[in-house]
Amino acid sequence: MARMPSADRRRQLTEAAIRAMTRDGVARTTTRSIAAEAGVSLSVFHYCFDSKRALLESVITTITDHYVGVVKEAIQPRATLHETVRAGFQAYWDHVAAHPGEHMLTYELTQYALRQPGCEHLARRQYELYADTYTELIGQLCRSMDIALRIPVPALARYLAAMTDGLTLSLLVLGPDAASPDLLDAITDHVAGLVGDTPQAAPRPVSAPN
């Protein structure tokens, strides 16, 4: 077996775990099946991860990273804030439609963690990561478009994470057509209003994240 830096090996095993869990479910996926999916020995798995819990945390982070990069690229400044936000949501929904099993896995990971004694912190970490992700995206938007927010960043980030979470589940249940252009336009109008791109009364300035 060719030698591989430990960080690269961890990424290899994490991606293998995502494939195996998407196919077989979290509960039925074992460390042995993950090692087999990655084409490595079980000892290599235990060298990289000291427990399945550690692997699950890596899986949660990696799945989030998969779509965050797509959204970051999509929300490069456009002519208006509305167009920029709309592009970000479109990129995210396109990713959900293209990788439904991976996004479905995120909900299964939450339920699994909440039902397994000692794993509850993984579910909490998962949703903290969602809020952290939106905080980062909001910061990118504010820096690139010189925006004064209407509500504090932490509250906006948690709200967007909760809204997207529910809408993602709806799309997974109802299918890609659930994310119609009219729905995405309505969401964009709402979010742009929270951010401050409306002709209404002047917003209460809120500092953008560093």
Side-chain angles (χ1 to χ4, degrees), residues 98-119:
H99 307 278
E102 191 169 297
H103 286 269
M104 193 180 304
L105 176 58
T106 64
Y107 294 94
E108 188 176 351
L109 286 165
T110 304
Q111 293 296 319
Y112 178 85
L114 290 174
R115 290 180 179 276
Q116 294 296 314
C119 288

Side-chain angles (χ1 to χ4, degrees), residues 33-89:
S33 67
I34 292 168
E37 179 74 24
V40 302
S41 67
L42 191 58
S43 62
V44 170
F45 176 93
H46 290 298
Y47 175 78
C48 294
F49 295 99
D50 58 11
S51 66
K52 187 176 180 179
R53 294 177 189 175
L55 172 73
L56 291 177
E57 186 162 2
S58 181
V59 165
I60 290 167
T61 301
T62 300
I63 290 176
T64 304
D65 288 344
H66 283 174
Y67 65 78
V68 168
V70 173
V71 175
K72 279 184 177 180
E73 184 176 349
I75 62 171
Q76 298 303 314
R78 297 167 191 260
T80 65
L81 175 62
H82 186 282
E83 291 178 23
T84 305
V85 173
R86 180 66 166 77
F89 277 119

Side-chain angles (χ1 to χ4, degrees), residues 112-197:
Y112 178 85
L114 290 174
R115 290 180 179 276
Q116 294 296 314
C119 288
E120 298 89 347
H121 72 283
L122 290 176
R124 182 179 182 85
R125 173 59 189 140
Q126 182 180 8
Y127 277 77
E128 288 174 344
L129 180 61
Y130 293 164
D132 291 346
T133 296
Y134 268 106
T135 297
E136 183 179 357
L137 292 173
I138 292 166
Q140 177 180 332
L141 203 59
C142 288
R143 289 188 297 271
S144 64
M145 303 197 74
D146 191 24
I147 296 165
L149 302 178
R150 292 180 178 275
I151 62 176
V153 172
L156 180 58
R158 290 194 300 271
Y159 174 75
L160 291 174
M163 180 189 69
T164 306
D165 193 47
L167 288 169
T168 302
L169 184 58
S170 176
L171 188 151
L172 291 172
V173 172
L174 300 175
D177 290 343
S180 66
D182 287 345
L183 175 60
L184 294 184
D185 286 340
I187 294 169
T188 300
D189 288 342
H190 176 60
V191 172
L194 291 175
V195 171
D197 186 39

Side-chain angles (χ1 to χ4, degrees), residues 15-36:
E15 294 291 354
I18 292 171
R19 293 193 302 272
M21 290 177 182
T22 298
R23 182 182 64 241
D24 303 327
V26 177
R28 291 190 296 275
T29 300
T30 64
T31 55
R32 189 177 299 278
S33 67
I34 292 168

